[in-house]
Amino acid sequence: MEKTIDIKEKAFTSTRNACKVCTPLGASIVFKGIEGCVPLIHGSQGCATYIRRYLISHYKEPVDIASTNFSEETAIFGGEKNLFIAIENVTKQYNPKIIGIATTCLSEVIGDDMRKIIHKYKTEHDTNIPELVFVNTPSFMGTHINGFHDTVTSIVAAFASNTENRESINIFPGFLSPADLQHLKEILTDVAIDAIMVPDYSDILDNEYTGEYEKLPKGGTTIKELKQTACAKASLEFGYILNKSNPQTQSAAEYLKTAFDIPRVNLNIPIGIKATDALFDALEKITNNKTPEKYTKQRGKLIDAYVDGHKYVFGKKAVVYGEEDFVVAMISFLEEIGIETVLCASGGNSGLLKEVIQEKVQPKSDINIHDNFDFEEIATVCKELKPDIIIGNSKGYYIARELGIPLARVGFPIHDRLGGSRIKHIGYEGTQALFDLIANTLIQQMQDHSPVGYKYM
Ligand code: SF4
């Protein structure tokens, strides 16, 4: 059993190398997953440029993000004038269906009343303007995940209205990779479910080469679908913590339950056999359709791979970091394959991480679980616990390099490798890819550090 480390005795109280990203970045990803939507960041140029640069580096796709371009004057007198000009410019240049407006630290600190400003714009202009949706995303009060989930709720609340009978289900997958969303759509098609996925950036952030720059790439959840979220048979939502760092906020599925009495099914992110089984069970219950044989075969092959790779992974120690719901799902998978998580860390600060892991994962051994953690704190704990593998995004590379521990790159962001958008984590197929990645990373470490150049491992 691992000893639990009390990192609260640390020397620093400031955040150094944050294990989280800024809140409007999460909002921008959601807006990119809505058809014909342009994200507009209400703040200074630097915020939009940072978000744009960050997303392009991970997704390797053009990511247009507009800015209301705050100056010193705006910071004193408010951003209304700039917002009006920005809406005009974005409308002229993109002709979007929706402009998704996310606030920044600066506009939140000066206290721009977004609801009032947007209402004023709408009343002063004719009806021939794009839909305007806004979300409050102060970065000093959350992470990219709060921005992500708050935006999903805002956009659903803005449009959900159609109450005619429909046999669809809503899927709120949370912050997954485009490859995960593509796989989820494949599953839903195979199970013969008419599903509305919010957001759907499966193509937009993993697009084909056309030789032409597309201002508004094809794809994304449509306005019609957003309206129909109000009349689904059920809402399926992945993740237990979601945007619960603020107890006042609702997730999109919670909003639809409250406003339209749509049943909410809340599941772990389907990483690993147990969590993926729960997804297929839920789909069977909702639709009465049997899980197609294709997936029972994938499941069987995955179990076979677990057996084959058992000797390489069993008993190894891992450090896992990332978004709170992501690490919960990851630990559940690692428990399944016999890897002991010695540290689970997140920059998220819901205060729920420990409780959710204990309740939903029920790990076999004690885990050092820390939310509101930064990479310097992760490095300190890694030095003491000496894990065999680090599992997380590329921001932890410098720790892996310094300590000579291999890093299995998963999640977001991946800034130092190609294919971040193509990493598949979910379903039996995604779990298979993760299992191979983790097992092979451990094998390579053994091979590289052996005095003998073994060709068989
Ligand atoms: S100032 Fe705030 S909103 Fe802007 S980039 Fe920094 S953290 Fe994000």
Side-chain angles (χ1 to χ4, degrees), residues 22-24 46-47 50 104-105 139:
C22 105
T23 313
C47 302
Y50 152 66
T104 57
C105 299
S139 234

Side-chain angles (χ1 to χ4, degrees), residues 23 30 86 162 293 379 435 444:
T23 313
V30 175
N162 191 340
E293 201 193 325
F435 182 75
Q444 184 174 348

